[in-house]
Short mmCIF file of all heavy atoms in Angstrom, two decimals:
data_model
loop_
_atom_site.label_atom_id
_atom_site.label_comp_id
_atom_site.label_asym_id
_atom_site.label_seq_id
_atom_site.Cartn_x
_atom_site.Cartn_y
_atom_site.Cartn_z
N LEU A 172 3.64 -6.08 3.22
CA LEU A 172 3.93 -6.25 4.65
C LEU A 172 5.39 -5.91 4.93
O LEU A 172 5.71 -5.20 5.88
CB LEU A 172 3.64 -7.69 5.09
CG LEU A 172 2.22 -7.99 5.53
CD1 LEU A 172 1.99 -9.49 5.60
CD2 LEU A 172 1.92 -7.35 6.89
N LEU A 238 -6.33 -21.58 17.61
CA LEU A 238 -5.02 -21.66 16.96
C LEU A 238 -5.27 -22.08 15.51
O LEU A 238 -5.91 -23.10 15.25
CB LEU A 238 -4.12 -22.67 17.66
CG LEU A 238 -2.68 -22.64 17.11
CD1 LEU A 238 -1.97 -21.36 17.51
CD2 LEU A 238 -1.88 -23.85 17.57
N ASP A 275 -23.51 9.21 19.90
CA ASP A 275 -23.79 8.88 21.30
C ASP A 275 -23.47 10.08 22.19
O ASP A 275 -22.53 10.83 21.93
CB ASP A 275 -22.94 7.67 21.75
CG ASP A 275 -23.32 6.41 20.98
OD1 ASP A 275 -24.44 6.36 20.45
OD2 ASP A 275 -22.47 5.51 20.90
N SER A 290 -25.71 5.55 34.18
CA SER A 290 -26.31 4.65 33.19
C SER A 290 -25.28 4.24 32.13
O SER A 290 -25.33 3.11 31.62
CB SER A 290 -27.53 5.31 32.53
OG SER A 290 -27.13 6.47 31.86
N HIS A 349 -12.66 -4.53 35.91
CA HIS A 349 -11.53 -3.60 35.87
C HIS A 349 -11.34 -3.14 34.43
O HIS A 349 -11.06 -3.95 33.54
CB HIS A 349 -10.27 -4.31 36.39
CG HIS A 349 -9.07 -3.43 36.44
ND1 HIS A 349 -8.97 -2.35 37.30
CD2 HIS A 349 -7.91 -3.46 35.74
CE1 HIS A 349 -7.80 -1.75 37.12
NE2 HIS A 349 -7.14 -2.41 36.18
N ASN A 366 -2.90 -20.06 29.86
CA ASN A 366 -2.43 -21.44 29.74
C ASN A 366 -3.56 -22.43 29.46
O ASN A 366 -3.62 -23.49 30.07
CB ASN A 366 -1.70 -21.82 31.02
CG ASN A 366 -0.59 -22.82 30.71
OD1 ASN A 366 -0.39 -23.17 29.55
ND2 ASN A 366 0.10 -23.28 31.73
N PRO A 395 -12.19 -6.40 -13.08
CA PRO A 395 -11.20 -7.36 -13.61
C PRO A 395 -10.00 -6.68 -14.29
O PRO A 395 -8.91 -7.26 -14.30
CB PRO A 395 -11.99 -8.20 -14.61
CG PRO A 395 -13.21 -7.39 -14.93
CD PRO A 395 -13.52 -6.60 -13.70
N VAL A 490 12.73 0.79 -26.15
CA VAL A 490 11.33 1.18 -26.32
C VAL A 490 10.44 0.16 -25.62
O VAL A 490 10.65 -1.05 -25.76
CB VAL A 490 10.98 1.26 -27.82
CG1 VAL A 490 9.49 1.54 -28.01
CG2 VAL A 490 11.82 2.34 -28.50
N ALA A 494 0.99 -1.69 -24.89
CA ALA A 494 -0.35 -2.07 -25.38
C ALA A 494 -0.28 -3.24 -26.35
O ALA A 494 -1.08 -3.34 -27.28
CB ALA A 494 -1.03 -0.87 -26.03
N PRO A 528 2.84 -6.27 -33.57
CA PRO A 528 2.15 -5.69 -34.74
C PRO A 528 3.17 -5.16 -35.75
O PRO A 528 4.12 -4.48 -35.36
CB PRO A 528 1.34 -4.53 -34.13
CG PRO A 528 2.01 -4.21 -32.85
CD PRO A 528 2.67 -5.45 -32.35
N VAL A 670 -24.45 -16.82 -23.39
CA VAL A 670 -24.26 -15.59 -24.18
C VAL A 670 -24.76 -15.86 -25.60
O VAL A 670 -25.36 -15.01 -26.24
CB VAL A 670 -22.77 -15.17 -24.18
CG1 VAL A 670 -22.51 -14.07 -25.21
CG2 VAL A 670 -22.37 -14.70 -22.79
N THR A 733 -17.53 -31.36 -17.98
CA THR A 733 -16.91 -32.64 -18.32
C THR A 733 -17.73 -33.75 -17.66
O THR A 733 -18.52 -33.49 -16.76
CB THR A 733 -15.48 -32.74 -17.73
OG1 THR A 733 -15.58 -32.95 -16.31
CG2 THR A 733 -14.67 -31.47 -17.98
N GLN A 765 -27.52 -23.34 3.75
CA GLN A 765 -27.17 -22.64 2.49
C GLN A 765 -28.34 -21.82 1.97
O GLN A 765 -29.41 -22.36 1.70
CB GLN A 765 -26.73 -23.68 1.44
CG GLN A 765 -26.30 -23.09 0.10
CD GLN A 765 -25.08 -22.20 0.19
OE1 GLN A 765 -25.19 -21.02 0.56
NE2 GLN A 765 -23.92 -22.73 -0.13
N LEU A 807 -16.51 -26.72 -13.93
CA LEU A 807 -15.91 -25.64 -13.16
C LEU A 807 -16.13 -24.35 -13.91
O LEU A 807 -16.29 -24.34 -15.13
CB LEU A 807 -14.44 -25.90 -12.84
CG LEU A 807 -13.36 -25.99 -13.90
CD1 LEU A 807 -12.89 -24.61 -14.34
CD2 LEU A 807 -12.15 -26.72 -13.31
N GLY A 905 25.57 -2.39 -1.09
CA GLY A 905 26.21 -3.70 -1.16
C GLY A 905 25.44 -4.84 -0.54
O GLY A 905 26.00 -5.90 -0.28
#
Side-chain angles (χ1 to χ4, degrees):
L172 272 166
L238 188 70
D275 295 338
S290 62
H349 182 66
N366 211 2
V490 175
V670 169
T733 74
Q765 182 63 279
L807 65 81

